[in-house]
């Protein structure tokens, strides 16, 4: 009898979780990094719903794709690199040129993120998926918080796990309680190393301040305005979104 009771308890506590994965970036190299984890979660019995641009060819039975196909073009890269390779005279000036290159690259990613957000928020397959209940949400932590805004719109209270396919970007560090000290931590979008000269530390500090301000105003606030306008709702939330 005791053995049967233990077996019953193990079975009753072995239910899989309902997991939602939200991956709004169009870069295939990013999703290839997350794909094995999502597939393994499904293979181990969890009910996994994944919204992305890249559907699995042979998904497990409890893996559901919510395809963004048709929202935007996808590929190995998300924009034409010639935009940052064919540079003007100003970009060839030492120090100033390095900063301008980083600014241009950020703006490319920012415009892409905001444009995708504007299209995704009304994508019906995604909207229907967000109306369900989940035990856990996994979202890519990159150059957009659009998905986080939608979670608040639809009242999803499940814990959120952020995944990154690169080194952590400066605006994600405070969310994890990590230190972002530009005196010895080079920015991900800079060519600098941990052994910086005084001039390089100044350059790194300038870019750190600019990058964090850029993400808040150039990306977060624009995405927030898009979501609030579409859903006629004011977003007032935790450390990821703030009332303005």
């Amino acid at each position: 009898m005791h053995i049967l009771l233990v077996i019953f308890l193990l079975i009753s506590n072995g239910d899989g979780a309902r997991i939602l994965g939200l991956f709004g970036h169009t870069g295939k190299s990013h999703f290839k990094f997350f794909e094995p984890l999502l597939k393994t979660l499904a293979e181990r019995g969890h009910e996994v719903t994944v919204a992305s641009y890249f559907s699995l060819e042979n998904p497990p039975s409890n893996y559901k794709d919510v395809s963004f196909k048709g929202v935007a073009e996808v590929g190995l890269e998300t924009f034409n690199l010639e935009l940052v390779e064919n540079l003007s005279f100003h970009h060839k000036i030492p120090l100033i040129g390095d900063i301008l290159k980083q600014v241009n690259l950020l703006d490319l990613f920012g415009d892409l993120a905001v444009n995708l957000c504007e299209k995704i928020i009304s994508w019906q397959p995604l909207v229907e998926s967000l109306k369900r209940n989940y035990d856990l949400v996994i979202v890519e932590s990159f150059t957009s918080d659009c998905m986080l805004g939608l979670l608040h719109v639809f009242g999803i209270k499940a814990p959120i796990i952020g995944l990154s396919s690169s080194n952590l970007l400066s605006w994600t560090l405070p969310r994890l309680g990590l230190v972002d000290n530009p005196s010895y931590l080079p920015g991900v979008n800079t060519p600098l190393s941990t052994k910086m000269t005084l001039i390089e530390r100044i350059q790194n500090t300038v870019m750190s301040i600019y990058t964090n301000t850029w993400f808040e105003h150039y990306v977060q606030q624009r995405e927030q305005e898009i979501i609030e306008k579409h859903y006629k709702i004011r977003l007032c939330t935790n450390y990821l979104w703030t009332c303005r």
Side-chain angles (χ1 to χ4, degrees):
M1 177 63 72
H2 292 293
I3 295 177
L4 291 176
L5 178 60
V6 172
I7 293 176
F8 174 79
L9 291 174
L10 289 174
I11 293 175
S12 63
N13 291 325
D15 295 337
R18 294 164 298 179
I19 300 174
L20 174 64
L22 299 173
F23 301 91
H25 185 59
T26 57
K28 187 175 182 179
S29 59
H30 285 234
F31 189 76
K32 295 297 287 185
F33 181 84
F34 309 126
E35 184 180 290
L37 170 64
L38 300 168
K39 186 175 180 181
T40 300
L41 287 172
E43 291 173 343
R44 294 190 178 183
H46 301 289
E47 182 183 329
V48 181
T49 301
V50 178
S52 75
Y53 292 88
F54 308 98
S55 300
L56 290 187
E57 294 183 1
N58 298 300
S61 58
N62 49 333
Y63 183 107
K64 179 183 178 182
D65 272 310
V66 178
S67 177
F68 289 148
K69 185 177 181 180
V71 174
E73 295 183 3
V74 298
L76 295 176
E77 300 295 344
T78 56
F79 52 80
N80 187 353
L81 289 178
E82 290 185 358
L83 296 175
V84 291
E85 290 177 346
N86 297 329
L87 304 174
S88 65
F89 168 77
H90 303 87
H91 291 81
K92 299 177 182 179
I93 301 175
L95 185 60
I96 295 177
D98 289 337
I99 293 176
L100 289 176
K101 291 175 187 176
Q102 295 165 45
V103 169
N104 289 348
L105 190 59
L106 285 173
D107 286 348
L108 287 174
F109 275 113
D111 289 336
L112 174 66
V114 173
N115 290 336
L116 292 177
C117 181
E118 194 166 16
K119 297 176 182 178
I120 285 175
I121 59 172
S122 58
W123 191 250
Q124 200 57 34
L126 175 63
V127 171
E128 293 301 319
S129 297
L130 291 171
K131 293 178 180 179
R132 304 189 184 104
N133 295 321
Y134 297 96
D135 302 307
L136 179 69
V137 178
I138 300 175
V139 62
E140 179 175 9
S141 180
F142 191 48
T143 55
S144 172
D145 275 347
C146 187
M147 295 297 185
L148 298 175
L150 289 177
L151 292 178
H152 288 283
V153 169
F154 287 89
I156 296 178
K157 304 296 185 181
I160 302 171
I161 294 178
L163 296 182
S164 177
S165 60
S166 66
N167 291 339
L168 292 177
L169 299 168
S170 60
W171 54 82
T172 65
L173 295 174
R175 302 177 182 184
L176 303 175
L178 299 176
V179 175
D180 178 21
N181 190 330
S183 68
Y184 66 94
L185 293 175
V188 175
N189 56 323
T190 71
L192 304 175
S193 69
T194 54
K195 297 180 179 179
M196 293 179 278
T197 64
L198 177 60
I199 297 299
E200 289 174 335
R201 290 183 181 185
I202 294 174
Q203 175 187 346
N204 194 49
T205 300
V206 170
M207 279 310 304
S208 177
I209 296 172
Y210 175 84
T211 298
N212 292 323
T213 304
W214 167 88
F215 185 69
E216 179 183 352
H217 295 279
Y218 197 78
V219 179
Q220 277 187 317
Q221 288 187 6
R222 292 166 70 194
E223 290 181 336
Q224 182 170 342
E225 290 169 359
I226 290 170
I227 294 173
E228 289 179 340
K229 181 178 179 181
H230 181 81
Y231 285 101
K232 305 296 189 295
I233 186 174
R234 181 174 171 78
L235 294 177
C236 182
T237 60
N238 57 17
Y239 60 94
L240 299 177
W241 289 72
T242 56
C243 280
R244 291 184 289 106

